[in-house]
Amino acid sequence: MRFLTSLTSYAAVAVAVTSFCTLAAEHNATPQLATTYVNDAILPPIIEWHGKSESLLAAPDSEWATPFEQHGLKTSPNYDETFAWLDKLISQTDMLKKVSIGKSPQGGDIWMIVASKEGAEDAPTLLKNNKPSVLVQAGIHSGEIDGKDAGMMLLRDIVIGDKAALLDNANLLFVPIFSVDAHERSTEYNRVNQRGPVNMGWRTTANNLNLNRDYAKADTLEMQHMLRAINIWQPDLYIDVHVTDGIDYQYDVTFGYNLAQGLSPASYKWLENSYRPAIESALIEEGHVPGPLVFAIDNSDISKGMSLWNASPRFSNGYGDARHLPTILIENHSLKPFKQRVLGTYVMLEATLKTVGEQTTKLKSAIQQDKYRYSPRVTLTWQQEQQKQGWDFKGIGYSMEQSAISGNEIVRWNGEPKLYPNLPVIGGTKADIKVNRPTAYYVPPQWTEVIERLSVHGIRMTTISKPSTQKLQQYQLSQPKFGSADYESHQRVKATLSSQTIEATLPTGTVRIDTEQPLGDLAILLLEPQSPDSLFQWGFFNPIFTRTEYIENYAVEPLAAQMLKQDPKLQAAFDEALKDEAFAADPKARLRWFYQRSPYYDNEYQKYPVLRSN
């Protein structure tokens, strides 16, 4: 019944909130966060929070207060306001430079702020200072914008305040708004499950694509710009700031990265054993409650446990694992107020710069180990299994109520902290499909889109200047299963495969990709058909499943008779095939059997065109 009451009072709440905010502004008062947002009445109870990190806030009338601080800690500036404020800050110092990494589909610049003691304005100059660079991107989902406002505050304190020392041993590359078009599709009615800011941007791009599903396939202009920026600026740590949802719990800042079983085990050890303790200590000291990424197995039954996510390369952290760029996914808790989330992000970014600066040698050593590891076997898929270590989960109490709206039982969070001891943790950590590492792949020149995407990733390739005949491995595909619906503008596909060694003449223009290179593991995940984020499964090779040549029945009949007369072994094989009653009763299948064995058959049909050298 509480839900019904909330719905009927929704419009009244919106009016009351608007009136309250106006009154607060007139009296220069700090808004009460519990009544700041129009969706408060339909969200679980808010937990009042005050932490030491509140001391980071500038007074709203301060000359260098950010728009977030100026407007009651509940709003985030639009694109023009953001960069007007940043331009003003940049004009005060030589330490900050503003660089466009490219334009969005609607023509907006994706700006990156380069922060260094030396005032580097291009990548070659930055790399000369031999300091590690941390790339922080905010707004890949532009409604989840905490990182933008936290980064603006941090840059202010580096330039105007007392935190310039953060750049003594590290550089900061800061992208305040990654999905710039979606950022401007902003209203107070986006992301109903999130407590602020008042106006929030849209989740997907102007083309309705999800950037955090686009790392591997790199369809969007935005992602292509970001991948090129990574290749050019060569960061040593990549931070992707999000706001999560799902269930209620006590943690306000959760973060994670790919697992020990992944392709970057040395980086994982550094992240788990050096980075996480330092960051969690800083967050706790400032009054926050950090935790690992939270994904409940069943949002309505916490006792079933938590999922340990082994992300694939379509996601930022999975992509970072594949290309050996330590990548941290921050997921702030959507039910915590915007102020709390922004301050937690600030603390995490500041602690990151300190930690990376202090541990440069360890971090760079881990990255080098992973880049040149060249494992002879590469895991493409993982199975779920229960982990040995459970989780004492800092949750929130809840009850189940019968809903008159849905007819289902629904969760009612009560706002009371509750510890759920030793919850089971299920993770994709059991190796499933593995392949031997090939020496190289060969992509025929006609697959231009595939070659272009590999180039965008920064994978090194060489082009064959004259025809070359070699013995290579080729996959034969069968039983393709296409996605029943479009997904991220693609028709995905899986298929059964077998392999054979063939003698192939590679035409001029064929691209060779050696796997003993820093991005060799990424190349394998993009080119092996059984890899879930391969370009094959994303549908880049779907034309190989189209039959374009046929033979009429009136021609197959005499051709089959001729073939049987000339080849006794074929007659024996046909007699054996006829023992299958279904085959024997299917005239089309019988004629197709002969066509497939004739010299007229398309010998490229359902054959994967990317060849492997073992």
Side-chain angles (χ1 to χ4, degrees):
M1 293 302 293
R2 170 185 167 201
F3 185 67
L4 284 170
T5 303
S6 299
L7 284 177
T8 56
S9 62
Y10 190 88
V13 170
V15 172
V17 168
T18 302
S19 301
F20 176 84
C21 293
T22 302
L23 183 63
E26 289 174 354
H27 290 80
N28 198 27
T30 301
Q32 298 300 306
L33 292 179
T35 54
T36 294
Y37 309 110
V38 297
N39 53 339
D40 268 324
I42 60 174
L43 294 180
I46 194 168
I47 301 174
E48 186 175 354
W49 174 87
H50 293 288
K52 187 177 174 183
S53 62
E54 289 176 302
S55 65
L56 297 168
L57 293 165
D61 57 354
S62 166
E63 178 186 2
W64 288 103
T66 65
F68 158 71
E69 293 164 316
Q70 294 169 25
H71 298 106
L73 314 177
K74 65 184 184 300
T75 69
S76 187
N78 66 26
Y79 180 91
D80 289 339
E81 292 166 343
T82 297
F83 291 106
W85 189 92
L86 283 167
D87 286 341
K88 179 183 173 185
L89 182 67
I90 292 167
S91 71
Q92 305 299 305
T93 179
D94 290 331
M95 292 189 293
L96 304 184
K97 306 296 179 184
K98 189 173 78 167
V99 177
S100 175
I101 65 171
K103 289 186 181 293
S104 73
Q106 292 182 340
D109 279 295
I110 304 172
W111 293 111
M112 181 170 74
I113 310 303
V114 181
S116 70
K117 267 293 173 66
E118 297 76 15
E121 27 189 352
D122 55 43
T125 305
L126 188 75
L127 293 168
K128 285 178 184 176
N129 73 24
N130 293 317
K131 299 174 187 177
S133 292
V134 178
L135 171 56
V136 176
Q137 82 184 13
I140 187 172
H141 296 150
S142 64
E144 306 168 28
I145 202 61
D146 304 3
K148 177 186 70 178
D149 297 278
M152 292 168 73
M153 288 176 60
L154 182 60
L155 287 177
R156 182 264 317 281
D157 293 343
I158 288 172
V159 173
I160 306 297
D162 59 357
K163 297 190 176 179
L166 291 172
L167 300 182
D168 286 348
N169 299 304
N171 309 308
L172 174 61
L173 305 171
F174 175 50
V175 179
I177 306 170
F178 183 15
S179 187
V180 299
D181 298 339
H183 185 274
E184 297 307 280
R185 185 181 172 184
S186 176
T187 80
E188 60 184 332
Y189 297 106
N190 290 347
R191 292 188 64 80
V192 65
N193 55 286
Q194 183 174 306
R195 277 197 167 94
V198 170
N199 290 317
M200 290 176 271
W202 200 248
R203 180 175 177 82
T204 51
T205 69
N207 300 104
N208 204 33
L209 295 175
N210 188 333
L211 288 178
N212 202 33
R213 306 293 185 271
D214 195 38
Y215 279 88
K217 60 185 176 64
D219 279 336
T220 62
L221 274 178
E222 295 95 332
M223 186 56 68
Q224 291 173 14
H225 295 323
M226 181 59 71
L227 297 182
R228 291 189 181 103
I230 289 171
N231 290 324
I232 292 168
W233 292 87
Q234 299 178 38
D236 301 280
L237 189 68
Y238 185 25
I239 296 182
D240 181 19
V241 187
H242 290 248
V243 181
T244 191
D245 46 34
I247 63 173
D248 203 357
Y249 43 81
Q250 298 171 49
Y251 310 101
D252 56 356
V253 181
T254 70
F255 64 97
Y257 27 81
N258 260 36
L259 309 181
Q261 294 81 1
L263 293 166
S264 298
S267 295
Y268 168 81
K269 287 180 182 177
W270 181 84
L271 288 164
E272 185 71 4
N273 299 327
S274 297
Y275 179 82
R276 180 175 286 280
I279 303 309
E280 289 193 340
S281 176
L283 284 163
I284 292 169
E285 171 67 21
E286 293 294 323
H288 295 274
V289 185
L293 295 175
V294 177
F295 301 106
I297 291 172
D298 184 340
N299 286 352
S300 63
D301 186 355
I302 302 301
S303 67
K304 291 183 180 178
M306 295 292 149
S307 173
L308 181 66
W309 187 33
N310 193 348
S312 75
R314 77 185 60 173
F315 303 100
S316 60
N317 49 324
Y319 182 74
D321 182 62
R323 71 171 292 147
H324 315 304
L325 168 58
T327 299
I328 296 156
L329 173 65
I330 297 178
E331 289 280 9
N332 295 325
H333 188 210
S334 63
L335 294 177
K336 303 298 185 288
F338 187 47
K339 177 187 82 167
Q340 184 177 354
R341 303 195 320 260
V342 168
L343 291 177
T345 306
Y346 179 114
V347 172
M348 186 164 180
L349 298 184
E350 179 184 9
T352 294
L353 288 174
K354 288 180 180 177
T355 303
V356 169
E358 292 167 356
Q359 300 200 25
T360 300
T361 302
K362 287 184 178 180
L363 173 58
K364 286 183 176 287
S365 174
I367 293 169
Q368 290 298 103
Q369 288 179 55
D370 292 330
K371 280 184 174 180
Y372 299 100
R373 183 165 165 257
Y374 304 148
S375 175
R377 296 273 286 168
V378 176
T379 302
L380 302 180
T381 63
W382 299 88
Q383 293 180 2
Q384 299 290 313
E385 61 180 352
Q386 183 162 339
Q387 307 300 298
K388 294 179 181 179
Q389 182 67 45
W391 186 355
D392 291 337
F393 183 71
K394 296 179 180 179
I396 296 292
Y398 69 95
S399 59
M400 302 300 294
E401 294 181 10
Q402 189 70 28
S403 167
I405 303 294
S406 66
N408 245 341
E409 278 199 324
I410 56 171
V411 174
R412 292 293 186 218
W413 305 100
N414 61 27
E416 297 296 324
K418 179 178 179 179
L419 181 69
Y420 297 85
N422 198 31
L423 287 181
V425 178
I426 311 296
T429 54
K430 183 178 180 181
D432 186 16
I433 299 174
K434 290 186 171 185
V435 294
N436 292 328
R437 184 185 207 90
T439 303
Y441 293 98
Y442 294 90
V443 182
Q446 64 269 27
W447 295 96
T448 53
E449 190 175 21
V450 170
I451 294 168
E452 185 269 337
R453 295 301 163 87
L454 297 172
S455 176
V456 166
H457 286 288
I459 294 169
R460 292 203 303 258
M461 299 176 280
T462 55
T463 302
I464 293 175
S465 59
K466 60 181 180 179
S468 171
T469 301
Q470 300 183 39
K471 285 189 176 181
L472 299 169
Q473 183 184 24
Q474 183 173 45
Y475 290 122
Q476 174 71 55
L477 305 169
S478 62
Q479 299 176 317
K481 294 182 179 178
F482 295 93
S484 59
D486 174 90
Y487 179 63
E488 291 294 314
S489 82
H490 286 264
Q491 184 180 26
R492 287 180 56 81
V493 63
K494 292 182 179 180
T496 302
L497 61 80
S498 59
S499 65
Q500 58 184 342
T501 299
I502 63 169
E503 188 172 90
T505 299
L506 305 171
T508 299
T510 296
V511 168
R512 174 188 165 99
I513 300 160
D514 289 296
T515 64
E516 288 197 357
Q517 60 167 297
L519 297 184
D521 289 340
L522 177 60
I524 291 171
L525 294 189
L526 292 175
L527 292 174
E528 283 294 330
Q530 294 180 96
S531 170
D533 272 324
S534 63
L535 297 179
F536 167 78
Q537 289 204 22
W538 276 112
F540 283 76
F541 293 97
N542 280 4
I544 66 174
F545 295 110
T546 301
R547 298 187 66 168
T548 56
E549 293 289 350
Y550 300 88
I551 187 169
E552 301 293 346
N553 292 350
Y554 64 77
V556 180
E557 292 280 358
L559 175 64
Q562 186 182 74
M563 292 167 66
L564 290 172
K565 183 177 180 181
Q566 294 174 348
D567 188 349
K569 290 183 179 179
L570 187 68
Q571 179 69 67
F574 185 53
D575 292 341
E576 183 66 26
L578 289 173
K579 294 179 181 178
D580 182 333
E581 293 182 2
F583 173 79
D586 187 343
K588 289 184 178 180
R590 291 168 64 154
L591 293 177
R592 187 164 56 249
W593 191 91
F594 284 98
Y595 173 49
Q596 290 172 343
R597 287 158 179 76
S598 78
Y600 297 98
Y601 186 69
D602 177 8
N603 61 11
E604 296 299 322
Y605 178 56
Q606 293 195 351
K607 289 184 179 177
Y608 187 51
V610 178
L611 305 178
R612 302 168 97 248
S613 175
N614 292 326

